[in-house]
Amino acid sequence: MTKRLVRSWDVFDTLIARRCGAHDGIFKIMGDTLGPEFRTKRIRAEAVARESKYDLSIHDIYDQLQRENGWTAQERQSALDLEISTEFENVIPIAENMSLVRDGDILVSDMYLSQDVILGLLGRAGFDKSITLFVSTCGKIDGTIWKRVRDRHVVLKHTGDNPGSDFLRPLQHLIPAGLTNASADTPWERFLLANGAPLLSRYVREMRLRMLPRAFAKSRAVQASQIEVNFPLLLLASASLVLWCRDHGISRALMCSRDCILWARLAETVARRAGDGLAVEYFLISRVAALKSTERYLDYARRRITADSVVVDLSMTGTSLAGLADRLGISEVKAFVIALHRSAGSLYGDKFQSKAKVTFDYFLADVFHHDLEALNQAPTASIHDVTETADRLSVEYGDENRSPAVLEAVNVQNAAFIDMVDHLPEAVIDEALALARSTRLLFLIRECERHAGDFETIITRANPGAALRNDPNGIALGLPYVSTNPVNGWLALVSKRMLKPLFRPGAPLHAYSTVPNVILRRIRKKC
């Protein structure tokens, strides 16, 4: 008989994984129905059953559970059915490995579940290849299944996650082998798990495993930055925003374009789960719209910026918002931001003195090291004007100055984020709302921002802060607070870097830390 050339694959933690993590997580979930002690009983019953029967099945395990617990036949069957259904509810694909399987390959698994159940789990995870499945209890680890495989096939390579049964044993039977650790928690997932966000950690892991295969390397980097950094950060910020609005009697959150294109969708989902009736709206605004737009735009903004609303943004200096408030005749505007750039007002110049006051609530101030705005770009160009009628909004956009490659990456990152929002479990939202009331919140948000520095994509390689220094379309705002001397900003920046170490906390001159700011303002005005 001619032997076929095939590749061989392990199943669990190679092609499919469990949403809950390790296999005993299934037993812990079942404990919600069968009692908190079920996990321990299930593990012990399997160990006892293995002592008396080498070729073990799930029916043998439940026979042992029935004897130990005095179950009726119906109770035994109900518990067994619950385990199978819990497995199906928790199965997720490992897309990177699954995409490499070809029709005709073989799958080899040491598992107490039946062949039909394993094939059903694969199908539930989206696996659609024509394969042959070898199932045994201990055949991989004791080598017997590899003898069966070699009698029928020539295995080009076996891939699995277990160093013993998936690597050493195949090699002993002259079958090339390789290991995969795709299902293992990453350091970032372990960090979330250890810092009060276990459900968020599991969700990040699940979406990572669902990512495009490595063949799409550029897309993977963009997706990963959304899954690991942007989504966790904005989820925590959304929970905090919703609770802040509740505490301050705010009924409408105005999520600024374009940086809040993704945050608005997530904040709306969190607000709906919290059940406070908070209205979340994507607010069309830009520096040009705020400071150089028509009366039509002012009418649009006036209907939204009210006493019971808050303007929300990723980062803000407050200059444009204060200028808009002046034009609207509003004395005070409330703002909720992740990062407040108090020292960046010089980007607009120092001559501007707004009559309006912007009252900020924020997480970070002048410590934003990474360009999170790059992770939250919208596919549309900058907004220059808005006309609102009874039934629609008419938007005037500026010119698009991003490259096709950047726009393609923007679409990928937006799709990855929206996919996470669309599949977000309510339990993860509840966990975020609890964290928003805890002392861990600021620490987790800060660490998310730091983690952004671990990703480099075609978008994040752009010069951070460039959007603040220049209007996207080069439009001169022509306002009285714009500096005219081109060297002012450069001299101020150099001076700040030289003076800052002398006035940092703990230094002898720290008590006089306001002095450098006075000096810098004079440099910008007089140079």
Side-chain angles (χ1 to χ4, degrees):
M1 182 179 70
T2 303
K3 297 180 181 180
R4 286 194 305 114
L5 296 174
V6 299
R7 293 182 304 172
S8 172
W9 303 86
D10 176 41
V11 178
F12 290 90
D13 294 324
T14 297
L15 300 182
I16 56 176
R18 295 177 176 91
R19 180 177 288 112
C20 58
H23 76 285
D24 61 345
I26 296 292
F27 314 148
K28 186 176 181 180
I29 295 172
M30 295 173 65
D32 294 339
T33 302
L34 300 177
E37 72 284 353
F38 177 78
R39 175 179 173 274
T40 302
K41 291 181 178 180
R42 171 63 176 77
I43 293 173
R44 184 177 62 246
E46 181 176 342
V48 172
R50 286 189 184 278
E51 293 177 356
S52 59
K53 189 173 182 180
Y54 188 75
D55 191 14
L56 190 71
S57 74
I58 193 170
H59 295 282
D60 300 317
I61 299 172
Y62 274 84
D63 286 343
Q64 181 64 31
L65 279 168
Q66 183 179 10
R67 287 191 292 270
E68 291 181 357
N69 294 282
W71 286 346
T72 65
Q74 182 177 357
E75 288 173 331
R76 171 195 177 280
Q77 189 61 44
S78 295
L80 191 156
D81 291 342
L82 178 61
E83 178 166 338
I84 300 299
S85 63
T86 306
E87 288 277 13
F88 273 86
E89 290 168 0
N90 276 268
V91 67
I92 55 177
I94 303 179
E96 177 183 341
N97 290 336
M98 193 178 285
S99 67
L100 300 175
V101 181
R102 303 169 185 165
D103 288 330
D105 282 352
I106 65 172
L107 311 186
V108 186
S109 181
D110 272 358
M111 188 56 172
Y112 46 75
L113 295 174
S114 70
Q115 188 176 64
D116 288 343
V117 171
I118 295 174
L119 289 173
L121 290 170
L122 286 163
R124 178 69 171 266
F127 185 78
D128 59 357
K129 296 296 190 298
S130 176
I131 49 85
T132 301
L133 173 62
F134 291 83
V135 181
S136 65
T137 302
C138 300
K140 288 170 62 179
I141 194 62
D142 68 15
T144 55
I145 202 167
W146 299 117
K147 295 178 182 178
R148 289 172 51 199
V149 168
R150 287 195 63 195
D151 287 341
R152 297 176 56 180
H153 304 286
V154 175
V155 181
L156 299 174
K157 182 182 179 181
H158 174 75
T159 302
D161 71 296
N162 189 288
S165 62
D166 288 312
F167 187 71
L168 294 179
R169 284 300 187 189
L171 290 179
Q172 289 173 353
H173 289 80
L174 304 180
I175 295 175
L179 288 174
T180 174
N181 66 346
S183 70
D185 290 348
T186 65
W188 178 247
E189 290 157 8
R190 291 195 296 271
F191 168 81
L192 293 175
L193 186 65
N195 285 279
L199 299 181
L200 177 57
S201 172
R202 291 296 171 222
Y203 189 53
V204 168
R205 172 180 176 266
E206 175 182 347
M207 301 309 287
R208 170 178 63 84
L209 294 179
R210 292 180 181 274
M211 270 200 302
L212 291 171
R214 292 193 184 278
F216 303 92
K218 293 181 180 179
S219 295
R220 279 182 67 90
V222 173
Q223 286 180 303
S225 65
Q226 294 298 311
I227 292 170
E228 294 197 26
V229 174
N230 204 39
F231 184 86
L233 187 149
L234 294 187
L235 176 63
L236 294 169
S238 295
S240 181
L241 170 64
V242 169
L243 297 181
W244 184 88
C245 289
R246 177 191 296 175
D247 294 342
H248 290 79
I250 300 298
S251 61
R252 175 183 287 182
L254 301 173
M255 317 294 291
C256 290
S257 64
R258 296 177 288 172
D259 292 344
C260 292
I261 182 71
L262 300 176
W263 191 4
R265 186 159 183 159
L266 179 55
E268 184 178 16
T269 300
V270 174
R272 187 165 57 247
R273 174 62 179 170
D276 286 345
L278 175 67
V280 177
E281 180 178 351
Y282 184 55
F283 181 47
L284 302 174
I285 189 173
S286 67
R287 288 185 302 283
V288 172
L291 303 174
K292 198 173 177 144
S293 58
T294 64
E295 286 297 323
R296 297 189 299 271
Y297 179 80
L298 296 181
D299 290 340
Y300 162 81
R302 188 175 291 110
R303 295 187 182 99
R304 286 159 176 80
I305 301 179
T306 57
D308 62 344
S309 68
V310 61
V311 178
V312 184
D313 207 350
L314 281 181
S315 60
M316 185 184 291
T317 67
T319 305
S320 294
L321 185 57
L324 175 60
D326 276 350
R327 298 181 69 198
L328 295 174
I330 298 174
S331 60
E332 182 177 0
V333 180
K334 291 179 282 292
F336 186 100
V337 298
I338 294 178
L340 173 60
H341 292 293
R342 289 181 299 196
S343 64
S346 60
L347 301 176
Y348 292 83
D350 288 305
K351 299 178 181 178
F352 174 66
Q353 296 293 328
S354 172
K355 297 178 183 178
K357 177 183 178 182
V358 180
T359 304
F360 287 99
D361 199 281
Y362 56 91
F363 298 108
L364 311 171
D366 294 328
V367 291
F368 223 32
H369 296 146
H370 305 292
D371 191 10
L372 290 183
E373 293 183 5
L375 302 181
N376 289 276
Q377 291 198 27
T380 58
S382 178
I383 293 163
H384 284 184
D385 207 353
V386 177
T387 302
E388 184 174 24
T389 60
D391 58 347
R392 65 186 293 248
L393 293 175
S394 177
V395 183
E396 178 186 327
Y397 294 98
D399 296 331
E400 181 58 73
N401 59 0
R402 292 169 293 181
S403 70
V406 168
L407 289 174
E408 180 182 0
V410 168
N411 289 329
V412 170
Q413 74 177 16
N414 286 13
F417 189 95
I418 291 170
D419 188 48
M420 291 197 75
V421 175
D422 290 344
H423 294 91
L424 180 60
E426 292 182 346
V428 178
I429 301 177
D430 294 340
E431 180 182 79
L433 289 167
L435 285 168
R437 291 291 194 193
S438 76
T439 56
R440 294 178 184 265
L441 176 69
L442 187 58
F443 169 70
L444 287 170
I445 286 180
R446 180 67 198 145
E447 290 305 306
C448 285
E449 192 270 335
R450 288 184 187 276
H451 190 39
D454 296 332
F455 294 90
E456 183 176 281
T457 70
I458 189 172
I459 307 176
T460 57
R461 282 197 298 267
N463 187 11
L468 282 174
R469 288 190 291 274
N470 303 287
D471 177 74
N473 297 284
I475 293 179
L477 298 176
L479 298 172
Y481 56 82
V482 176
S483 299
T484 56
N485 194 320
V487 301
N488 290 4
W490 180 81
L491 287 174
L493 180 62
V494 172
S495 301
K496 178 181 177 181
R497 289 180 176 176
M498 294 175 62
L499 293 172
K500 187 175 181 180
L502 301 176
F503 295 87
R504 66 179 47 173
L509 297 178
H510 179 62
Y512 306 98
S513 58
T514 58
V515 173
N517 290 330
V518 175
I519 296 174
L520 295 179
R521 283 197 294 269
R522 300 304 298 174
I523 290 175
R524 294 185 190 112
K525 289 181 179 180
K526 299 298 184 182
C527 283

